[in-house]
Amino acid sequence: MTIVTTPSVTLRPWTAADIASLAAIADDKRIAANLRDRFPHPYGRADAEAWVAFASSQPEPAVRFAISMAGEAIGGMGLERLDDVHRGTAEIGYWLGAAHWGRGYATDAVRALTAYGFETLGLERIQAAVYEWNPASARVLLKAGYVLEARMRRHVVKDGRLGDVLLYATIREEHDLRGVR
Ligand SMILES: CC(C)(COP(=O)(O)OP(=O)(O)OC[C@H]1O[C@@H](n2cnc3c(N)ncnc32)[C@H](O)[C@@H]1OP(=O)(O)O)[C@@H](O)C(=O)NCCC(=O)NCCS
């Protein structure tokens, strides 16, 4: 079982005990509006059950985590590796229950999962796709050492709204440099 610690939250596997709290905190339009459509809205108990069944049966090394505080799941995050010639790259994704926003938790979590991606998963590059209407997430990535590489114009259609996507990324070399500072 993989546990990733940070100065605030802990990243740990999803378990059946998280289903009720997941269904409660994930049912939030402000969260879904910034994620892919596979993160449903409304988000019901069946969605939480299906997610936990899927995420808790994954092989090691783990790539999907509950963001946990005092044992309670307050959000989720993961690294999704691309394939073929892009297999050295993963996309990082994350969300937090709105009651926990603005305390630096996501920044701690992104920093820790990024280190895990380079050191444990052997990734060369980690990237994130931020919708143009999401300045908080862009700020999290900048604080965690990611660089804005591109504005992908009209790359998202979300809830009928067309928008640009900001591509943020960090590479192994930057991670190594951060480590020796
Ligand atoms: C994005 C998200 C994970 C941020 O979590 P968080 O724990 O509140 O983030 P942090 O507290 O670590 O940092 C947030 C930063 O954004 C800033 N911020 C918040 N709202 C902002 C806004 N409207 N404009 C500019 N900056 C903003 C905060 O001030 C903070 O920066 P600071 O430390 O320099 O003051 C959370 O808002 C969330 O779950 N959103 C919905 C899902 C989502 O967007 N996921 C990411 C998809 S790419």
Side-chain angles (χ1 to χ4, degrees):
M1 182 172 81
T2 308
I3 307 274
V4 179
T5 57
T6 86
S8 56
V9 293
T10 299
L11 314 182
R12 49 98 173 145
W14 288 98
T15 76
D18 298 321
I19 289 170
S21 53
L22 173 58
I25 59 174
D27 187 29
D28 187 333
K29 189 79 182 162
R30 295 168 294 175
I31 296 172
N34 291 297
L35 301 178
R36 290 218 169 87
D37 285 346
R38 68 186 182 207
F39 188 98
H41 186 79
Y43 196 112
R45 187 175 172 93
D47 298 309
E49 286 172 354
W51 173 255
V52 168
F54 168 68
S56 61
S57 62
Q58 63 180 339
E60 293 287 336
V63 292
R64 294 180 184 84
F65 297 92
I67 302 174
S68 177
M69 170 138 286
E72 193 189 335
I74 61 167
M77 74 187 310
L79 284 167
E80 195 165 307
R81 195 187 272 268
L82 307 191
D83 62 6
D84 205 295
V85 295
H86 305 303
R87 60 188 175 275
T89 298
E91 184 174 71
I92 191 166
Y94 45 88
W95 64 272
L96 268 182
H100 304 279
W101 291 0
R103 297 179 197 164
Y105 296 167
T107 303
D108 283 348
V110 169
R111 284 194 182 119
L113 195 65
T114 300
Y116 173 82
F118 288 126
E119 293 165 15
T120 303
L121 303 182
L123 294 168
E124 290 299 330
R125 170 186 167 90
I126 303 176
Q127 64 187 33
V130 179
Y131 306 158
E132 64 172 310
W133 50 78
N134 192 0
S137 184
R139 181 83 190 117
V140 165
L141 291 162
L142 281 177
K143 288 194 290 177
Y146 285 62
V147 173
L148 176 62
E149 290 188 341
R151 171 180 284 265
M152 298 186 284
R153 296 172 299 162
R154 298 192 190 176
H155 191 45
V156 57
V157 184
K158 186 72 191 186
D159 304 325
R161 180 182 185 187
L162 188 59
D164 296 352
V165 174
L166 306 176
L167 178 67
Y168 283 85
T170 186
I171 57 173
R172 168 181 289 282
E173 192 181 348
E174 290 164 351
H175 172 69
D176 293 345
L177 285 172
R178 279 195 291 273
V180 298
R181 258 186 223 136

